[in-house]
Amino acid sequence: AQKVTQAQTEISVVEKEDVTLDCVYETRDTTYYLFWYKQPPSGELVFLIRRNSFDEQNEISGRYSWNFQKSTSSFNFTITASQVVDSAVYFCALRIGGSARQLTFGSGTQLTVLP
Amino acid sequence: EPEVTQTPSHQVTQMGQEVILRCVPISNHLYFYWYRQILGQKVEFLVSFYNNEISEKSEIFDDQFSVERPDGSNFTLKIRSTKLEDSAMYFCASSTGTGYQETQYFGPGTRLLVL
């Protein structure tokens, strides 16, 4: 069975600080996909990034960056120069390869960015 | 940009009543999903639907639940006899079904409250 662990329940930072959200996953499958979703206070789930297990290249998108390390089964998310609008719950999710498509979510990290 | 839509945004019902939650997936997507999120908890997979039949379902998706694609655009989740513990946010999602490039895009959710 798959499992996603987000050990940080809540993080609070002051605006302009950098913050890293941790995600550790467990799966026996060699092909899998990792995702990050953002849930702002309005409640919707917003897709941020997908990473395939065969692509360990790290990615940067503006102030966001993701560090995928298969050796430690981690897929961490860093926000550089955080802003108040980054305040949200962030979920890491895992999908195994093949015909199964269900996403297994972590418990989420509540990020609060203070002005 | 195409998006998944859901109606209603909020629904209040009495225990034992039937509810139908509606979703319009992104038009060229082939896979449809329902997830739920009990307040303050992680997002949980309920069911996936492809080619007019259920392709996967979780233990949560028991005989009280059913899904249907009644026409070419809508995708519905029916709860036959609601229980207090069905109170949650229900998210619909859709994806293209293309495999490793695939991402599930979520609707804004329906908040269901069972009294």
Side-chain angles (χ1 to χ4, degrees):
Chain A
Q2 289 66 244
K3 186 177 179 182
V4 177
T5 301
Q6 294 180 256
Q8 304 151 308
T9 307
E10 295 182 27
I11 300 176
S12 184
V13 299
V14 177
E15 205 169 20
K16 297 184 183 176
E17 285 185 359
D18 299 347
V19 59
T20 295
L21 310 182
D22 298 333
C23 172
V24 174
Y25 61 92
E26 294 176 33
T27 179
R28 292 182 180 175
D29 285 66
T30 54
T31 300
Y32 52 88
Y33 312 95
L34 295 162
F35 302 82
W36 277 95
Y37 286 87
K38 175 182 180 180
Q39 187 175 43
S42 48
E44 71 271 28
L45 285 168
V46 179
F47 165 71
L48 295 178
I49 191 171
R50 179 192 66 247
R51 237 355 173 204
N52 308 328
S53 57
F54 45 84
D55 180 5
E56 279 194 80
Q57 201 170 11
N58 292 325
E59 182 154 338
I60 299 174
S61 176
R63 297 183 297 107
Y64 295 172
S65 63
W66 290 269
N67 183 355
F68 177 27
Q69 293 201 343
K70 289 177 78 170
S71 60
T72 55
S73 298
S74 65
F75 185 42
N76 296 337
F77 173 27
T78 297
I79 302 174
T80 303
S82 59
Q83 300 176 0
V84 173
V85 292
D86 295 327
S87 297
V89 180
Y90 291 86
F91 290 97
C92 182
L94 168 71
R95 184 205 141 193
I96 62 174
S99 60
R101 281 174 164 75
Q102 65 171 282
L103 293 177
T104 299
F105 282 82
S107 53
T109 297
Q110 169 72 61
L111 173 65
T112 302
V113 182
L114 303 169
Chain B
E1 186 165 319
E3 56 185 22
V4 178
T5 59
Q6 291 185 242
T7 54
S9 58
H10 293 78
Q11 178 139 10
V12 180
T13 190
Q14 296 290 325
M15 190 170 57
Q17 295 295 306
E18 175 183 286
V19 294
I20 297 176
L21 310 182
R22 291 181 169 79
C23 167
V24 178
I26 295 172
S27 62
N28 64 338
H29 285 187
L30 302 178
Y31 278 83
F32 316 120
Y33 312 85
W34 285 100
Y35 290 80
R36 79 172 185 190
Q37 183 183 31
I38 295 172
L39 187 63
Q41 297 187 24
K42 69 169 70 175
V43 179
E44 301 173 291
F45 170 78
L46 293 178
V47 65
S48 63
F49 191 84
Y50 171 72
N51 199 26
N52 277 321
E53 59 184 32
I54 291 173
S55 54
E56 294 171 82
K57 62 181 181 179
S58 71
E59 292 175 354
I60 303 169
F61 193 87
D62 60 21
D63 293 343
Q64 293 294 324
F65 293 90
S66 62
V67 289
E68 191 179 31
R69 189 156 162 83
D71 54 43
S73 59
N74 289 283
F75 178 52
T76 62
L77 174 69
K78 181 192 291 185
I79 309 175
R80 288 191 182 80
S81 178
T82 50
K83 305 170 189 170
L84 296 177
E85 54 265 37
D86 293 327
S87 295
M89 178 78 97
Y90 287 81
F91 290 103
C92 175
S94 68
S95 67
T96 56
T98 52
Y100 77 97
Q101 298 284 17
E102 193 171 342
T103 295
Q104 292 179 29
Y105 292 94
F106 285 78
T110 293
R111 186 166 295 283
L112 175 66
L113 178 60
V114 182
L115 301 176

